[in-house]
Amino acid sequence: MFLLVLSAMPSAKKGSDRAIGAVELKLNGHTDMTERDDECELGYWLGKPFWGRGYMPEAVKTLLRHGFETLGMTTIWCGYYDGNNKSKRVQEKVGFVYHHTCNEVPVPLMNEIRVGHTNFMTKESWESKYGV
């Protein structure tokens, strides 16, 4: 697993740094989206006060580059739950493509069943989009 933690700009007060979000790549054995060693899952979260500032698309682009260039991934998977339009929009902005929808995805921490949408990006599509 590779994790990038987003933190607020340090202020003059000591100890005021705090995490505002995180982006991670879940490698084989830590994701249910793929069983291949050359594919992984991208996951992310961002605190609500920081939504709409462009932080997450930039952080996601950084991890996509790391996944494709450094880790040698051929495909990176990502998903969002129905109604999470902010997450959907991040994935659209950076170039993920729709793959499928599951109507009954268990979410044990929330004790819920949700609709989940799965998207993917290949190394070739990433290279084409970002001119690599």
Side-chain angles (χ1 to χ4, degrees):
M1 177 173 19
F2 184 83
L3 178 67
L4 174 66
V5 177
L6 309 176
S7 62
M9 295 293 292
S11 68
K13 294 183 181 180
K14 186 176 180 180
S16 61
D17 291 350
R18 61 184 173 152
I20 63 168
V23 187
E24 69 177 331
L25 292 175
K26 298 177 185 180
L27 305 178
N28 188 11
H30 299 281
T31 175
D32 60 1
M33 287 194 174
T34 183
E35 294 181 3
R36 295 178 53 134
D37 290 334
D38 63 346
E39 298 183 355
C40 64
E41 176 186 354
L42 175 81
Y44 53 86
W45 69 268
L46 184 65
K48 198 170 187 175
F50 305 97
W51 291 3
R53 299 183 188 186
Y55 297 148
M56 196 49 65
E58 288 305 311
V60 166
K61 288 179 201 175
T62 298
L63 240 56
L64 287 172
R65 183 175 59 249
H66 179 74
F68 290 126
E69 290 184 353
T70 306
L71 299 178
M73 296 292 123
T74 60
T75 303
I76 297 179
W77 297 87
C78 196
Y80 66 93
Y81 294 120
D82 209 38
N84 187 344
N85 292 325
K86 298 278 189 190
S87 189
K88 177 183 179 183
R89 185 66 189 125
V90 167
Q91 292 174 41
E92 290 172 345
K93 280 182 181 179
V94 300
F96 277 90
V97 176
Y98 175 79
H99 188 270
H100 70 274
T101 296
C102 292
N103 290 318
E104 295 185 8
V105 179
V107 186
L109 291 175
M110 304 292 287
N111 197 26
E112 296 176 350
I113 303 292
R114 295 187 181 182
V115 175
H117 305 281
T118 301
N119 298 320
F120 73 103
M121 181 182 292
T122 64
K123 183 174 184 179
E124 292 78 19
S125 64
W126 174 77
E127 289 172 339
S128 176
K129 181 168 181 70
Y130 295 103
V132 177

